[in-house]
Amino acid sequence: MTILKNTTFTFRALVPAAALLFMFLLVLSCSEEPKSADQEEWVAMFTGANYDDWTPKFAGYELGVNHNNRFVYQDSLLSVRYAKTDTFKGNFGHLFYKQKFSHYKLRATYRFVGEQMTNGPAWAFRNNGLMLHCQEPATLGLDQDFPISLELQLLGGDGTHERTTANLCTPGTNVVLNDSLFTTHCVNSTSKTYHGDQWVTAEALVLGDSLVQHIMDGEVVLEFKSPTIGGGNISGYNESAYEEGKPLEEGYISIQAESHPIDFKSIEVLNLCGCMDEKAKNYKSYYVKADNTTCIYE
């Protein structure tokens, strides 16, 4: 009987405590303000746990093969690494994010580390890139070296010489630069040089095929417009994917494996395409392109 009485007493004592806790949580949830239509919702493109949202493609290997485990997730970083016995044989690699975008902002924090792999080309020293408006990964040729894309080229300094970053390279593409058609493969930005293994943040503003800006330290260091397919500077591609003159209005985002180790601390994207109906719950004032099929009203 004593056990029963004590058990009953304990249960009755817990009821008001549970009710108070429920009321507290209810008040707390009701007091939370809804997200502002002006509040930017950046999406982390990797978490440091795995690369399930990314797909590798190396020249000479099928889509999905992470050749020699060169793309690595460890210590909350997305990295490119090469074994000591690894020798460069022209098998450039790219790692593609799962989703394509048309209008967006991109922000990546990176650092170059270590030594370039054996036989890596001299120009690839401390060299990587954020490949924008990439072609569909499944359309790459088996031996294709670079995707049709717009490369926001990332370069690190050698400790002595000036070497800008956030440059532009155009594998399989042409752009309009300073109101003239630009068909040369690469052009330098106006950025400063970042020597050593320091963390550096590069940004891009991409507005379909109307405007692309490369940004460092809050300053636009290069901008261009009207990207189209053409110009060469790639090999091994499928003819069906190379539609010369076609505007590049959207595409995938990838990073490179060009023979020098690199770490990415973060890669984030802010979609600028979405619901532009102010009556919808997910309306955002900063969207610049409407996709009202995504609107949520309940």
Side-chain angles (χ1 to χ4, degrees):
M1 293 295 293
T2 302
I3 295 177
L4 180 59
K5 287 181 179 179
N6 286 343
T7 303
T8 303
F9 173 79
T10 303
F11 174 75
R12 289 176 177 174
L14 286 174
V15 171
L20 287 173
L21 178 60
F22 174 79
M23 291 176 63
F24 172 78
L25 294 175
L26 182 62
V27 170
L28 181 64
S29 64
C30 291
S31 65
E32 291 180 355
E33 296 182 1
K35 291 184 178 179
S36 166
D38 300 328
Q39 183 178 342
E40 294 185 343
E41 295 186 2
W42 287 81
V43 174
M45 298 173 72
F46 72 92
T47 64
N50 56 58
Y51 62 95
D52 289 348
D53 292 337
W54 299 77
T55 302
K57 174 66 178 77
F58 282 85
Y61 297 85
E62 297 289 345
L63 181 67
V65 175
N66 188 11
H67 176 55
N68 284 357
N69 294 316
R70 290 177 178 174
F71 290 113
V72 179
Y73 277 86
Q74 61 183 18
D75 301 325
S76 298
L77 303 175
L78 168 55
S79 305
V80 177
R81 290 290 185 268
Y82 301 95
K84 290 184 178 180
T85 56
D86 211 351
T87 300
F88 183 75
K89 298 178 181 178
N91 41 9
F92 295 103
H94 295 81
L95 189 66
F96 293 83
Y97 188 62
K98 64 180 180 179
Q99 181 181 350
K100 63 181 178 180
F101 300 91
S102 64
H103 295 65
Y104 61 97
K105 291 181 182 179
L106 183 67
R107 183 167 61 205
T109 300
Y110 67 94
R111 68 180 178 187
F112 289 101
V113 296
E115 301 296 327
Q116 187 179 15
M117 72 182 301
T118 304
N119 291 339
W123 55 262
F125 169 80
R126 289 185 173 254
N127 187 334
N128 203 282
L130 299 168
M131 315 299 280
L132 314 178
H133 277 358
C134 289
Q135 69 185 97
E136 173 88 34
T139 67
L140 269 73
L142 179 65
D143 298 318
Q144 189 168 340
D145 49 2
F146 300 97
I148 297 169
S149 58
L150 306 165
E151 179 184 355
L152 192 166
Q153 185 188 51
L154 306 176
L155 295 180
D158 62 5
T160 303
H161 303 93
E162 295 299 309
R163 198 177 191 223
T164 60
T165 190
N167 307 312
L168 168 67
C169 292
T170 55
T173 54
N174 292 318
V175 304
V176 172
L177 184 68
N178 298 324
D179 297 322
S180 298
L181 183 65
F182 179 78
T183 58
T184 306
H185 182 42
C186 294
V187 61
N188 287 345
S189 75
T190 60
S191 85
K192 69 179 186 180
T193 301
Y194 297 85
H195 293 293
D197 296 356
Q198 63 177 302
W199 288 108
V200 180
T201 297
E203 300 177 78
L205 170 66
V206 184
L207 301 178
D209 66 342
S210 63
L211 176 68
V212 179
Q213 294 180 332
H214 296 178
I215 302 165
M216 299 296 300
D217 298 324
E219 300 289 334
V220 175
V221 295
L222 190 150
E223 71 175 31
F224 57 91
K225 60 184 179 180
S226 304
T228 56
I229 296 177
N233 298 306
I234 57 172
S235 64
Y237 58 85
N238 293 323
E239 292 289 344
S240 58
Y242 194 85
E243 301 178 56
E244 189 152 1
K246 180 181 179 181
L248 274 181
E249 300 174 340
E250 62 179 7
Y252 292 81
I253 296 168
S254 72
I255 63 170
Q256 297 182 317
E258 287 193 314
S259 72
H260 201 111
I262 190 172
D263 293 328
F264 287 92
K265 182 189 293 185
S266 64
I267 305 177
E268 302 171 286
V269 63
L270 177 69
N271 200 347
L272 300 179
C273 177
C275 178
M276 296 185 70
D277 183 347
E278 295 185 25
K279 297 178 182 178
K281 292 176 62 176
N282 58 332
Y283 161 76
K284 287 294 182 181
S285 62
Y286 57 80
Y287 287 150
V288 298
K289 182 181 180 182
D291 180 5
N292 287 350
T293 62
T294 64
C295 290
I296 300 173
Y297 295 96
E298 296 180 358

